[in-house]
């Protein structure tokens, strides 16, 4: 009901006092912008709710200290990919020129998405599924990211188990990957220098008939890959790797079983140790011959590469995966923050630390790669690789040539262990928090539920420590968190920005930190980030390549299984939406209203006060025909 109308020239907002909802008379105040064109006025009206404090009847656990949260987020975001992925991409895509698209995408997509997830979890104080009480039909997005985190855990802890195996093997006077006289070595193993093969017009690194001791140690001594003919012939779990896997599981359980009170203490070691080790390795690396050449290759600027689409695609995908958005971990961690915590500052700090760590690790990696290239008289491109091969073959081989090699090997694999363990902790915490917040009866049984999750992860991960386990690992790595995680983050952004509303989301942030997000952040959430994510999703489909391990090509049935894994998580979005819509009562319009309205506002729907777009058509006698003017209308809704 329109009570009065301010003059046309008045452009300021008119706000009436909000009265107690239990009293008669005006309950809500609506601010309506009306644009008049040719005597027809268009009004966009929105129901404005009184400011509510986000309190819960049940007291929620919080971090013991603010630094516990920051270290947990940094520890999760800074993982093994920062060491084996970013430096290689930088070298491959024009050196320093790669930083241009990387930093651009970080600013327009990475930071806004990171900030969005931290704010979402902190305001709603629930895990990845529970936060969607703000728009119930999108709760399937929460289950999507929980499933993705669970799938990633199945193979990610295997990398940590490999690191433990290497760590134990390093406590010897002579590292086991130096010579070819071990029981696992084949006749193809050779300790001959690279330059001899180069003289024979043969590539030492790529020659399928020759292998380094380090390569054979990883594939034959650790994985026993030679005892499997493919993914169809996995064999039984190897007892050494199984034991290492069990150590990882036990450590994860006792780090997570009491919640953030225990995990927040563990990260003081696991999140900080890599920086001390990286610094020590850099100091040692830059003293090696050829190190400067390696660093120059890492930083060499080739701006012409920016004309290639692949460079921009690599930068976009690296941003999506390196920050850890879309796994539900940031939502879970921030849900344990105090309500007034400055999540904006946290987002800036942690994303900056993540990017700087990636850049810093490149100096460490390429100082050693430059040393290897000079030692064997080959181009750096022949030793610059990414993925597990870099940290389990090439880097150990470089360390083996140093004085006190066993000491440096122990230091290096401790770093890998700490880099991996807190990322694994984050993934499991996302699953545990997401499910116990959704199914409240689990709160009283967190220790047992945590045990259930880690045991399930252990038993499924056993398939990755068999003779052919590397094939299962490669398949999961390729499908579990590729297109599916981009899909999940895309719908997460759409749900928040377009259904819940950027304005409403900004109000939530202002209620927490006392400052409303600026126009830049709101534009990124509303337009830039969704477009960016849509672009990356489309590109991931267009550039899809079937997984391979070395020269092994996966059979068609294995690719089908991989796609089923990916689709199983993505399918949660439409499946839950259909389920939610079918279980709601009322007319079609009422179902839509319930599906997209925050649960705390359901009583407004029941009383008929639903947010709506209203249209008014009347002539302003004070305006000339054909004149366009904007006025502010003042409305009140009566009970």
């Amino acid at each position: 009901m329109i009570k009065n109308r301010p003059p046309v020239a008045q452009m300021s907002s008119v706000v009436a006092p909000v009265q107690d909802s239990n009293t008669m008379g005006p309950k809500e105040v609506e601010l309506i912008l009306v644009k008049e064109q040719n005597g027809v006025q268009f009004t966009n009206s929105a129901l404005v709710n009184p400011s509510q404090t986000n309190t819960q009847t049940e007291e929620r656990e919080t971090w013991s200290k603010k630094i516990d949260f920051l270290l947990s987020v940094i520890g999760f975001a800074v993982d093994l990919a920062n060491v084996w992925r970013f430096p290689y991409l930088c070298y491959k895509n024009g050196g320093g020129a790669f930083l241009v698209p990387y930093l651009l995408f970080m600013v327009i997509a990475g930071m806004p998405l990171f900030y969005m997830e931290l704010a979402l979890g902190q305001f709603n104080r629930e895990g990845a599924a529970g936060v969607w009480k703000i728009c119930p039909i999108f709760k399937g997005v929460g289950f999507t990211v929980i499933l993705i985190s669970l799938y990633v855990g199945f193979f990610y802890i295997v990398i940590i188990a490999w690191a433990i195996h290497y760590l134990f093997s390093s406590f010897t006077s002579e590292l086991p990957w130096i010579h070819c006289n071990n029981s696992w070595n084949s006749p193809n193993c050779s300790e001959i220098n690279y330059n001899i093969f180069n003289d024979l017009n043969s590539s030492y690194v790529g020659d399928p008939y020759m292998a380094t001791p380090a390569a054979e140690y990883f594939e034959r001594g650790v994985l026993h890959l030679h005892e499997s003919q493919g993914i169809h012939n996995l064999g039984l779990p190897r007892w050494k790797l199984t034991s290492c896997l069990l150590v990882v599981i036990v450590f994860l359980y006792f780090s997570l079983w009491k919640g953030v009170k225990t995990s927040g203490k563990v990260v003081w070691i696991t999140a900080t140790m890599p920086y001390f080790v990286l610094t020590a390795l850099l100091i040692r690396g830059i003293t090696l011959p050829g190190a400067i050449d390696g660093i120059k290759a890492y930083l060499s600027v080739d701006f012409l590469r920016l004309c290639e689409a692949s460079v921009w695609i690599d930068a976009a995908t690296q941003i999506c995966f390196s920050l850890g958005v879309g796994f539900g971990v940031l939502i879970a961690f921030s849900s344990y923050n105090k309500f007034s915590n400055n999540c904006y500052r946290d987002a800036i700090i942690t994303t900056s630390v993540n990017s700087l760590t990636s850049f810093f690790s490149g100096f460490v990696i390429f100082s050693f790669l430059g040393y290897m290239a000079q030692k064997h008289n080959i181009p750096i491109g022949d030793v610059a690789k990414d993925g597990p091969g870099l940290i389990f073959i090439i880097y150990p081989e470089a360390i083996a040539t140093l004085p006190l090699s066993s000491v440096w090997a122990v230091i290096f694999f401790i770093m890998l262990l700490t880099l991996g363990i807190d990322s694994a902790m984050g993934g499991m915490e996302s699953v545990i928090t997401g499910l116990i917040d959704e199914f409240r009866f689990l709160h009283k049984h967190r220790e047992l539920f945590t045990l259930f999750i880690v045991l399930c992860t252990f038993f499924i991960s056993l398939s990755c420590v068999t003779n052919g386990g590397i094939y299962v690992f490669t398949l999961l790595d390729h499908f579990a968190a590729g297109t599916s995680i981009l899909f999940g983050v895309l719908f997460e952004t759409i749900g928040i920005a377009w259904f819940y509303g950027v304005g409403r989301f900004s109000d939530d942030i202002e209620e927490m930190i006392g400052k409303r997000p600026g126009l830049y952040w709101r534009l990124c959430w509303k337009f830039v980030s969704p477009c960016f994510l849509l672009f990356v999703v489309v590109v991931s489909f267009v550039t899809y390549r079937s997984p391979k391990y070395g020269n092994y090509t996966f059979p068609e049935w294995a690719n089908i299984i991989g796609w089923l894994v990916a689709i199983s998580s993505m399918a949660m979005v439409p499946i839950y939406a259909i389920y939610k819509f079918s279980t709601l009562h009322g007319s079609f319009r009422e179902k839509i209203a319930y599906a997209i309205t925050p649960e705390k506002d359901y009583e407004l729907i029941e009383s008929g006060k639903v947010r709506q777009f209203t249209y008014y058509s009347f002539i302003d006698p004070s305006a000339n025909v054909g004149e366009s003017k904007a006025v502010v209308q003042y409305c009140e809704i009566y009970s």
Side-chain angles (χ1 to χ4, degrees):
M1 175 179 177
I2 300 178
K3 298 294 292 180
N4 56 39
R5 183 179 176 193
V8 172
Q10 183 177 341
M11 298 301 295
S12 60
S13 300
V14 181
V15 181
V18 179
Q19 299 182 15
D20 193 317
S21 59
N22 294 325
T23 61
M24 297 297 291
K27 283 187 176 180
E28 315 281 348
V29 175
E30 216 173 350
L31 186 64
I32 306 177
L33 293 179
V34 180
K35 187 174 182 181
E36 184 181 43
Q37 291 183 346
N38 297 324
V40 179
Q41 296 188 343
F42 300 90
T43 306
N44 184 12
S45 65
L47 188 63
V48 180
N49 294 320
S51 178
Q52 298 178 358
T53 302
N54 190 20
T55 58
Q56 291 185 331
T57 57
E58 185 178 324
E59 188 68 23
R60 187 171 183 82
E61 181 184 15
T62 57
W63 298 95
S64 299
K65 297 179 181 179
K66 172 66 176 290
I67 191 66
D68 293 355
F69 165 71
L70 288 176
L71 288 176
S72 295
V73 174
I74 291 171
F76 165 72
V78 177
D79 66 350
L80 295 166
N82 291 75
V83 175
W84 79 35
R85 181 72 175 157
F86 177 84
Y88 172 74
L89 286 179
C90 197
Y91 166 76
K92 168 189 166 187
N93 292 301
F98 179 72
L99 296 178
V100 174
Y102 178 82
L103 292 177
L104 174 64
F105 291 146
M106 170 65 76
V107 171
I108 68 172
M111 285 184 173
L113 292 172
F114 201 95
Y115 181 19
M116 180 185 73
E117 289 204 349
L118 290 186
L120 181 65
Q122 183 173 306
F123 183 82
N124 293 285
R125 313 297 299 277
E126 293 199 42
V131 294
W132 288 103
K133 59 190 177 185
I134 64 173
C135 189
I137 201 168
F138 277 86
K139 184 175 281 190
V141 175
F143 291 117
T144 291
V145 300
I146 289 173
L147 265 182
I148 291 173
S149 290
L150 189 63
Y151 291 160
V152 170
F154 294 156
F155 70 87
Y156 196 85
I157 64 171
V158 175
I159 304 176
I160 307 172
W162 293 343
I164 292 177
H165 188 287
Y166 269 81
L167 178 63
F168 290 155
S169 301
S170 299
F171 288 101
T172 59
S173 57
E174 185 178 72
L175 296 174
W177 53 84
I178 294 179
H179 301 298
C180 291
N181 57 354
N182 302 287
S183 60
W184 57 80
N185 290 126
S186 72
N188 294 330
C189 182
S190 175
E191 302 172 30
I192 302 176
N193 286 341
Y194 288 69
N195 58 344
I196 295 178
F197 283 90
N198 288 339
D199 294 339
L200 297 175
N201 298 317
S202 176
S203 172
Y204 184 82
V205 176
D207 191 339
Y209 301 106
M210 303 304 298
T212 65
E216 287 214 340
Y217 177 74
F218 178 61
E219 293 193 340
R220 298 173 65 91
V222 177
L223 303 182
H224 291 262
L225 185 60
H226 60 290
E227 298 180 27
S228 172
Q229 286 74 49
I231 196 170
H232 63 282
N233 178 228
L234 296 179
L236 296 175
R238 307 297 306 186
W239 73 267
K240 288 184 179 180
L241 285 179
T242 301
S243 301
C244 294
L245 197 63
L246 190 59
V247 171
V248 178
I249 286 297
V250 171
F251 185 88
L252 286 174
Y253 175 71
F254 285 107
S255 297
L256 297 171
W257 70 321
K258 293 294 185 181
V260 295
K261 296 296 184 185
T262 52
S263 63
K265 299 299 178 288
V266 174
V267 293
W268 279 79
I269 297 175
T270 58
T272 57
M273 178 69 74
Y275 293 96
F276 293 107
V277 177
L278 280 172
T279 302
L281 289 172
L282 177 62
I283 294 172
R284 183 66 183 96
I286 59 178
T287 63
L288 298 172
I292 301 302
D293 294 332
I295 293 174
K296 285 181 179 178
Y298 171 53
L299 296 178
S300 62
V301 178
D302 182 7
F303 284 110
L304 292 177
R305 296 297 305 276
L306 296 180
C307 299
E308 301 176 16
S310 61
V311 175
W312 295 82
I313 293 171
D314 282 345
T317 53
Q318 177 65 15
I319 285 296
C320 288
F321 295 117
S322 67
L323 291 179
V325 293
F327 289 94
V329 179
L330 302 178
I331 295 174
F333 280 165
S334 62
S335 72
Y336 296 108
N337 276 334
K338 293 179 180 178
F339 186 74
S340 59
N341 175 66
N342 192 336
C343 54
Y344 169 71
R345 182 178 56 197
D346 295 343
I348 300 298
I349 291 173
T350 49
T351 52
S352 299
V353 169
N354 179 277
S355 297
L356 289 174
T357 303
S358 296
F359 186 63
F360 177 67
S361 66
F363 289 92
V364 180
I365 296 299
F366 274 86
S367 63
F368 277 86
L369 293 182
Y371 162 67
M372 288 292 290
Q374 178 171 310
K375 181 178 179 64
H376 299 291
N377 193 28
I378 61 171
I380 291 179
D382 288 348
V383 292
K385 308 292 179 184
D386 68 338
L390 173 65
I391 59 175
F392 291 112
I393 298 177
I394 296 175
Y395 216 86
E397 184 175 359
I399 290 175
T401 64
L402 303 176
L404 300 175
S405 58
S406 294
V407 175
W408 287 108
V410 168
I411 293 173
F412 177 71
F413 289 112
I414 287 177
M415 180 192 72
L416 294 188
L417 179 61
T418 53
L419 276 173
I421 201 71
D422 43 16
S423 295
M425 285 166 53
M428 282 199 175
E429 186 61 57
S430 169
V431 176
I432 295 166
T433 297
L435 293 178
I436 66 175
D437 282 346
E438 181 64 18
F439 305 102
R440 294 289 180 178
F441 69 92
L442 293 174
H443 269 283
K444 298 179 181 179
H445 310 287
R446 180 184 170 102
E447 293 88 350
L448 288 176
F449 184 65
T450 302
L451 180 63
F452 172 76
I453 293 295
V454 297
L455 285 179
C456 288
T457 302
F458 171 73
F459 286 118
I460 296 177
S461 298
L462 288 177
S463 62
C464 294
V465 296
T466 57
N467 295 336
I470 190 65
Y471 300 125
V472 179
F473 174 92
T474 303
L475 198 69
L476 285 173
D477 183 35
H478 193 81
F479 288 103
T483 302
S484 55
I485 196 167
L486 300 173
F487 174 88
V489 180
L490 173 61
F491 274 86
E492 179 182 287
T493 309
I494 292 172
I496 293 172
W498 288 92
F499 283 81
Y500 183 60
V502 167
R504 199 164 193 165
F505 187 59
S506 299
D507 292 339
D508 295 344
I509 295 175
E510 184 177 16
E511 185 178 340
M512 290 189 294
I513 67 176
K515 183 179 179 181
R516 189 177 179 83
L519 179 63
Y520 169 77
W521 298 103
R522 301 199 302 272
L523 287 176
C524 285
W525 291 328
K526 187 85 172 183
F527 303 107
V528 181
S529 294
C531 291
F532 168 82
L533 289 165
L534 182 61
F535 163 75
V536 180
V537 169
V538 172
V539 166
S540 69
F541 278 108
V542 173
T543 60
Y544 168 76
R545 297 290 183 273
S546 298
K548 294 181 68 176
Y549 181 78
N551 295 324
Y552 178 78
T553 301
F554 285 81
E556 193 62 32
W557 63 265
N559 285 300
I560 293 174
I561 291 177
W563 273 112
L564 288 176
V565 170
I567 292 172
S568 66
S569 58
M570 292 188 286
M572 291 294 102
V573 176
I575 288 175
Y576 187 86
I578 294 171
Y579 160 77
K580 184 66 178 179
F581 194 79
S582 63
T583 55
L584 292 171
H585 302 289
S587 65
F588 180 82
R589 183 178 178 182
E590 290 173 333
K591 286 186 175 184
I592 291 291
Y594 278 111
I596 64 175
T597 301
E599 291 179 358
K600 64 185 179 66
D601 292 340
Y602 274 6
E603 60 183 24
L604 301 176
I605 301 175
E606 294 165 0
S607 60
K609 301 170 185 176
V610 186
R611 288 198 298 171
Q612 57 186 325
F613 181 85
T614 57
Y615 173 88
Y616 296 96
S617 178
F618 56 88
I619 298 175
D620 179 6
S622 63
N624 298 323
V625 176
E627 183 180 4
S628 296
K629 295 183 179 181
V631 299
V632 178
Q633 290 285 14
Y634 170 76
C635 296
E636 290 180 352
I637 297 177
Y638 283 81
S639 58

